[in-house]
Amino acid sequence: MTLRSSLLAMAFCLALLPAHAQQKKLPVDYADPLLGTSESRWMLNPGATMPFGMVQLAPDNQEGVWKSGYEYSINNIGGFSHIHDWTMAGLSVMPTVGVLNIKRGSTDNPTTGWTSGYRSRIYKETEKASPGYYAVKLMNGDITTELTSTTRAGFFKFTYPTELDAHILFNLDIPFENTAEILEAEFTKVSSTEIEGYSHQKWGWQDYIVHFVARFDHPMEGFGGWVGNKISKDITELKGKGAMGAYADFHTKPGEVIQLQTAISLVSIEDARLNLHTEMDPFKWSFAAVHNNARTVWNNLLGKIKIEGGTEENKKKFYSNMYRSYVARSTWSDVNGKWIDPNEIERQSDPNTPILGSDAFWNTFWNLNQLWTLVTPDVASKWTRSFLQIYKYGGWLPKGPAGIEYSGIMEASHEIALITSTYQKGIRDFDANLAFEAIMHQQTTPGVVTPEGGFAGNKYYESYLKLGYVPNEVGQVSNTLEYAYDDWCAGQFAKALGKTKEADMLMERADAFKKVWDPSVKYIRMKHADGTWVKEWSPYCCTAFDGPGYLEGNAWQYSFFKPHDVQGIINLMGKKEFNDRLDSGFVKSSKFDFNADGDMYDLVPVNHGNQPNMQAAWLFNYSGKPWLTQKWSREIMDKYYGSTPYHGWLGDEDEGQMGAWFVMAAMGLFETDGGSSIKPFYEIGSPLFPKAVITLDNHYYKGKTFTIEAKNTSKANRYIQSATFNGKPLTKPWVYHQDLVNGGSLVLVMGPKPNMAWGSKQGDAPPSMSAPTNGN
């Protein structure tokens, strides 16, 4: 073949590649918001949002069911709503045409006409999503709908192909996992282009008011609304409660574009308008400018880690998981720093210290905490300062501050781990004494039911303080272990602050694992208040969400739960039993891709699909078999995690927790103790890519880079043969955080077979609270 013909053949092959495959160069191009959106929850969707956005514009196509919101396999849409935080929703927008219809209609019975509701089928092939952008073409009217956003404001672009009678609906009644009751609401037409209003919503303990402002780039030709089934036309104001909404009328020309900008606030309509003007006015009415801004913000964030080599699929998995680590949780303070505290009182904070809300921080020390403190320490700082603001005005640290309420969701107070790790890693731009006061209050005071019906502090805590464990008559035995871990974190914080008396007390309590360890069976076991063991028991029984047993787990899993003292578990269980039990659990679980669907814990003891087990693969670094950490962490990355809408995460992604675990594991780094020790460190696994370069923060760290090289790495070459750290031989499977953030490199030579001599000698294991005993 001649040179010319070779070049022509190459050009022909390139031409066959999809355009996006040829152009995919930036980290933001690899992040796919559609990944894992089948069988996903309300908080996980393909919408247009900024990191920790207050506004999370996203399509909703389900009704009020578990795992509601967006489902990839459903080819219709019932609206695009603004809020997708845990237990919270607000202000759905939907473009329609033809005869006005105020009923959303059924998910199972959409139409391309207007008989059963305004819900519209979609042309699935037109659906596109990327960080900060979503677009789809609706069959009803063939309306191309595009969404983008800033942190607190949304931007809609509707393109109409023909002359039509058009309506843009604002529906306050949004079905989702926690559908709220609308206690009171109001719409006001401010001008021919602007609408304002609010919706006071309540679900259980969650009580909040969504204030909003919406403006069009075209004057409305009509404005009306509805309460229940009653429609009111040509009005300027509408008040009511329950199912209600409003609509704006337009008459479109062929190819006409109508644009809508919106903003929300939990504080006031005035603040919603301020959010809108502050964040949208600089872009005027340029949808492209807002979209490009969102894309740039996301690319700068995702680009803090640069990946080289590896497969296109793994790059997609890496940046999509990193995207999820920053997208689901929400900002709830306005641009001026105003916010509503847990007592429903308006507060003023520094606008540079946003007040943040989310689902629980249950076991985030095995995922989000690690990523945030290493790659984005400013994020860890903001969360810590937000916790302390909520404590200052509410009296307790929040464990899941959705809407800045005390939700009581999940057990223990693992926000303590994030605060402690943040401090231990030198991120100290917060009041450490106030933080310690808050932590000590949390760890010495039984929790309480809050006036709105939520819960602040720790459940079952009186028993823990009195007996040193949670007895079966009161609650889950597993809470004992979680409280003890928080005690250890608090003890490490006390040590760092020189508070010896408190440190000694907390470190003694941190060993509570032993109080519920039954040496006759070598498992954590449910125990009565009188000190006797519960008889009806097995290692795989008794998972519970509330009441006796093990929180979303079992004795097999929780017998490996002592994050701060893995060596202590090995001393009690014996090293051989520890390794054999754990490895056999992985062998069994691998057949089910490490996901215990339907709580099949007997078949899937290592359940990566839920938090209690996410450290399991890394424990072999402590037990003299680091090659099994390398093997099984890779297996989880390959099997549990996917790259399609139908397979992103086999379990609940949980607001970035599964995503952050993958990002850390793909770089070959992990912190079993959550990074809260006086001198934090990272354990080493099996990097997925030949090279990962972390750009270290210039403010908190030294602004240098840290490079992780895994020479020869591949699907087969997953085992470390040798290692160097900053040019010097590394023989232990761990490195100190401070050495890493000083900049430099970790170079691993990988191969297809384990090097059982590397990292496995006595004294090579990472630090634990206990020293080895009896040859363990």
Side-chain angles (χ1 to χ4, degrees):
M1 184 180 288
T2 66
L3 176 61
R4 181 174 179 275
S5 59
S6 297
L7 291 172
L8 286 171
M10 186 181 299
F12 177 75
C13 291
L14 287 171
L16 293 178
L17 287 173
H20 68 273
Q22 297 177 46
Q23 298 168 2
K24 193 176 285 187
K25 297 177 182 178
L26 299 174
V28 70
D29 294 317
Y30 285 102
D32 182 4
L34 284 165
L35 189 149
T37 52
S38 179
E39 289 291 314
S40 61
R41 293 189 59 195
W42 176 246
M43 301 83 76
L44 197 156
N45 55 68
T49 183
M50 295 285 270
F52 305 128
M54 179 186 292
V55 163
Q56 299 184 353
L57 291 183
D60 302 320
N61 58 18
Q62 297 188 83
E63 298 175 44
V65 297
W66 174 244
K67 292 188 175 182
S68 62
Y70 176 87
E71 163 57 48
Y72 183 80
S73 65
I74 295 174
N75 292 331
N76 62 69
I77 288 174
F80 304 89
S81 62
H82 284 68
I83 299 173
H84 289 84
D85 205 2
W86 178 65
T87 71
M88 299 178 72
L91 192 61
S92 177
V93 173
M94 186 67 176
T96 70
V97 295
V99 177
L100 176 69
N101 193 328
I102 62 170
K103 299 298 182 184
R104 183 177 284 107
S106 168
T107 297
D108 299 327
N109 187 33
T111 68
T112 51
W114 304 276
T115 56
S116 65
Y118 64 73
R119 178 184 297 273
S120 175
R121 296 182 189 274
I122 63 173
Y123 298 98
K124 193 68 175 177
E125 68 276 10
T126 68
E127 188 173 40
K128 298 176 183 177
S130 60
Y133 178 79
Y134 175 85
V136 72
K137 188 173 183 178
L138 306 175
M139 286 190 182
N140 287 2
D142 282 347
I143 307 166
T144 297
T145 300
E146 297 175 81
L147 319 177
T148 189
S149 70
T150 59
T151 299
R152 300 170 180 86
F155 201 145
F156 299 78
K157 181 179 179 182
F158 306 116
T159 303
Y160 297 84
T162 58
E163 183 175 352
L164 292 164
D165 289 325
H167 319 282
I168 295 176
L169 277 55
F170 300 87
N171 197 337
L172 302 180
D173 183 27
I174 303 169
F176 74 116
E177 292 176 357
N178 310 103
T179 301
E181 178 186 2
I182 300 172
L183 303 180
E184 179 187 17
E186 181 175 348
F187 287 93
T188 301
K189 181 184 177 184
V190 178
S191 71
S192 64
T193 57
E194 188 170 303
I195 301 164
E196 67 180 29
Y198 69 87
S199 176
H200 184 181
Q201 302 175 186
K202 184 171 177 59
W203 171 85
W205 44 263
Q206 184 63 274
D207 190 327
Y208 57 105
I209 303 175
V210 180
H211 305 86
F212 53 85
V213 174
R215 66 186 183 191
F216 294 99
D217 66 346
H218 284 51
M220 295 176 276
E221 296 185 15
F223 178 74
W226 69 90
V227 178
N229 293 320
K230 182 181 178 182
I231 298 174
S232 301
K233 298 181 179 182
D234 299 321
I235 58 175
T236 58
E237 187 177 86
L238 180 72
K239 295 182 179 180
K241 62 180 181 178
M244 63 178 293
Y247 62 89
D249 291 332
F250 300 89
H251 187 79
T252 65
K253 299 173 184 177
E256 187 167 9
V257 172
I258 295 177
Q259 297 189 131
L260 167 67
Q261 293 178 343
T262 57
I264 61 173
S265 166
L266 296 188
V267 177
S268 66
I269 291 174
E270 291 75 17
D271 269 18
R273 184 171 283 108
L274 180 64
N275 290 340
L276 180 63
H277 287 309
T278 303
E279 295 191 353
M280 279 295 175
D281 284 1
F283 303 104
K284 299 184 179 178
W285 280 98
S286 174
F287 184 92
V290 177
H291 174 205
N292 288 336
N293 175 69
R295 177 178 166 82
T296 298
V297 169
W298 275 113
N299 192 63
N300 289 343
L301 173 55
L302 299 174
K304 289 180 183 292
I305 307 175
K306 294 288 198 316
I307 294 301
E308 295 182 20
T311 66
E312 289 293 294
E313 181 185 17
N314 281 337
K315 286 179 182 177
K316 179 180 179 179
K317 288 165 68 173
F318 183 87
Y319 285 114
S320 297
N321 277 283
M322 190 172 177
Y323 168 77
R324 286 294 164 199
S325 305
Y326 295 91
V327 74
R329 295 162 194 254
S330 302
T331 298
W332 287 121
S333 54
D334 296 324
V335 291
N336 57 7
K338 289 183 179 180
W339 57 288
I340 301 297
D341 79 4
N343 300 311
E344 312 308 325
I345 297 172
E346 182 180 314
R347 300 295 183 184
Q348 176 70 59
S349 294
D350 182 347
N352 296 315
T353 300
I355 306 302
L356 302 162
S358 68
D359 193 352
F361 275 79
W362 188 48
N363 296 15
T364 58
F365 47 82
W366 284 334
N367 38 71
L368 289 170
N369 297 14
Q370 303 181 24
L371 179 63
W372 291 349
T373 52
L374 174 61
V375 178
T376 51
D378 61 310
V379 168
S381 170
K382 287 174 182 176
W383 274 102
T384 296
R385 286 180 281 154
S386 179
F387 289 147
L388 296 182
Q389 284 290 295
I390 296 170
Y391 166 75
K392 181 179 177 181
Y393 294 112
W396 295 85
L397 289 171
K399 59 178 69 180
I404 318 304
E405 302 280 7
Y406 289 114
S407 68
I409 186 63
M410 304 314 290
E411 303 302 338
S413 297
H414 294 326
E415 67 278 2
I416 291 172
L418 178 55
I419 295 170
T420 303
S421 179
T422 298
Y423 186 84
Q424 305 291 41
K425 291 179 179 177
I427 308 163
R428 298 181 176 180
D429 53 352
F430 60 91
D431 187 336
N433 289 321
L434 179 65
F436 186 69
E437 173 193 305
I439 289 170
M440 286 302 294
H441 176 262
Q442 205 87 355
Q443 293 305 100
T444 57
T445 312
V448 297
V449 176
T450 59
E452 71 278 4
F455 195 91
N458 294 318
K459 297 177 185 175
Y460 323 131
Y461 212 57
E462 278 190 71
S463 297
Y464 178 75
L465 294 175
K466 180 181 178 181
L467 301 173
Y469 66 95
V470 177
N472 197 56
E473 292 84 353
V474 174
Q476 297 107 329
V477 64
S478 58
N479 278 37
T480 304
L481 313 181
E482 305 217 42
Y483 296 155
Y485 171 68
D486 287 344
D487 280 335
W488 176 81
C489 292
Q492 294 295 296
F493 197 16
K495 281 186 177 181
L497 296 177
K499 298 181 182 294
T500 306
K501 179 181 177 182
E502 293 92 336
D504 289 346
M505 179 270 289
L506 290 161
M507 294 304 288
E508 181 179 348
R509 284 177 19 183
D511 212 19
F513 185 98
K514 292 177 180 176
K515 294 191 176 183
V516 288
W517 174 266
D518 182 353
S520 69
V521 295
K522 293 189 176 182
Y523 281 101
I524 292 296
R525 189 167 180 177
M526 296 180 293
K527 194 175 192 178
H528 292 297
D530 63 7
T532 60
W533 300 110
V534 171
K535 292 181 180 178
E536 297 299 322
W537 172 89
S538 85
Y540 299 108
C541 85
C542 314
T543 184
F545 187 77
D546 197 12
Y550 306 83
L551 182 63
E552 297 188 13
N554 57 29
W556 193 99
Q557 295 169 343
Y558 276 103
S559 294
F560 291 103
F561 190 103
K562 198 178 186 185
H564 52 292
D565 192 20
V566 180
Q567 184 60 56
I569 304 175
I570 295 170
N571 292 344
L572 292 171
M573 194 180 293
K575 184 180 287 188
K576 185 178 186 306
E577 172 65 17
F578 182 97
N579 282 323
D580 290 350
R581 184 187 298 179
L582 192 57
D583 190 41
S584 65
F586 270 100
V587 171
K588 288 176 67 174
S589 305
S590 180
K591 300 172 185 176
F592 298 90
D593 297 336
F594 309 103
N595 184 54
D597 191 29
D599 296 339
M600 303 182 302
Y601 295 131
D602 54 335
L603 297 175
V604 192
V606 178
N607 177 30
H608 191 75
N610 208 3
Q611 285 88 335
N613 231 187
M614 294 185 78
Q615 90 291 17
W618 301 87
L619 299 179
F620 296 106
N621 277 335
Y622 291 82
S623 60
K625 293 190 175 184
W627 62 89
L628 290 179
T629 284
Q630 296 152 34
K631 173 184 177 178
W632 292 119
S633 63
R634 273 292 192 97
E635 285 292 294
I636 292 172
M637 284 187 273
D638 289 345
K639 291 188 171 184
Y640 179 86
Y641 292 87
S643 60
T644 71
Y646 294 104
H647 179 195
W649 309 271
L650 295 175
D652 185 356
E653 198 281 328
D654 243 337
E655 292 197 322
Q657 290 208 48
M658 296 296 163
W661 188 97
F662 182 93
V663 173
M664 293 299 293
M667 293 191 293
L669 300 174
F670 192 75
E671 293 176 302
T672 297
D673 74 357
S676 290
S677 58
I678 290 286
K679 199 171 180 182
F681 56 89
Y682 298 96
E683 297 128 63
I684 298 171
S686 180
L688 200 56
F689 301 96
K691 182 182 283 188
V693 181
I694 305 170
T695 299
L696 299 166
D697 187 84
N698 195 45
H699 177 69
Y700 297 98
Y701 301 141
K702 295 189 175 182
K704 298 180 180 179
T705 61
F706 187 80
T707 300
I708 301 164
E709 282 192 70
K711 295 184 176 181
N712 308 319
T713 188
S714 66
K715 194 173 182 68
N717 293 348
R718 60 181 57 185
Y719 297 104
I720 297 172
Q721 307 301 299
S722 63
T724 58
F725 189 83
N726 289 340
K728 297 179 180 179
L730 178 68
T731 59
K732 298 181 178 182
W734 59 279
V735 295
Y736 282 117
H737 165 81
Q738 190 57 52
D739 292 337
L740 191 155
V741 297
N742 283 339
S745 64
L746 170 65
V747 179
L748 308 172
V749 177
M750 311 300 289
K753 294 181 180 180
N755 176 4
M756 297 183 182
W758 186 84
S760 59
K761 299 182 181 63
Q762 192 73 25
D764 284 351
S768 279
M769 189 173 78
S770 297
T773 60
N774 301 323
N776 291 312

